[in-house]
Structures are given as structure tokens and as C-alpha cells.
């Protein structure tokens, strides 16, 4: 079993926002990688940066990877 948290980033909505879930709970609507990093910091993952989010293999990206912010 992996020690990494379960993070899911859903496909972009019409406005470009992407729903983010952390361990099964909705933690925010992100419009950039910086938003996701901030949500994860608030969830207890200290020192998380946008570059960490972009490179994280433990984040499940649905409907496009970290560069997809429009439908």
C-alpha cells in the first residue's frame, strides 16, 4: 500500500476550474497549479509548491494533465 495521499483533480469545467479531492473530500475548485498547492498545504502537506503538484506521480489527473485548464 502506498503512503501517498489520494488526490484527484477532475476535468476542467466550462469556466476552466477543476474540482480537487483529497482523501475522498472536496477541498476546492482550482484554476491553477498554485491553487492546488495551496489546497494541499491547507490539508496538511507543508511546503507544497506548484512545481511539486505538476511533477507528483501520486496525483490522479482526470480529463487532462496539469497543463489542461480549459474544455
Amino acid at each position: 500500500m502506498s503512503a501517498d495521499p489520494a488526490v484527484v483533480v477532475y476535468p476542467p469545467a466550462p469556466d476552466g476550474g477543476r474540482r480537487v479531492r483529497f482523501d475522498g473530500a472536496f477541498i476546492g475548485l482550482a484554476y491553477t497549479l498554485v491553487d492546488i498547492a495551496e489546497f494541499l498545504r491547507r490539508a496538511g502537506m507543508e511546503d507544497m509548491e506548484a512545481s511539486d503538484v505538476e511533477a507528483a506521480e501520486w496525483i490522479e489527473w482526470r480529463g487532462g494533465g496539469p497543463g489542461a485548464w480549459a474544455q
Side-chain angles (χ1 to χ4, degrees), residues 26-61:
F26 173 73
I27 60 171
L29 186 62
Y31 290 90
T32 67
L33 295 173
V34 173
D35 293 338
I36 296 173
E38 180 60 24
F39 298 154
L40 294 175
R41 281 194 295 268
R42 291 179 186 179
M45 298 182 70
E46 297 179 13
D47 301 324
M48 185 63 59
E49 300 292 335
S51 59
D52 301 321
V53 170
E54 186 172 30
E57 294 183 12
W58 44 265
I59 295 178
E60 179 181 344
W61 295 90

Side-chain angles (χ1 to χ4, degrees), residues 14-26:
D15 68 354
R18 298 182 76 168
R19 292 176 53 88
V20 181
R21 293 184 79 78
F22 177 79
D23 285 342
F26 173 73

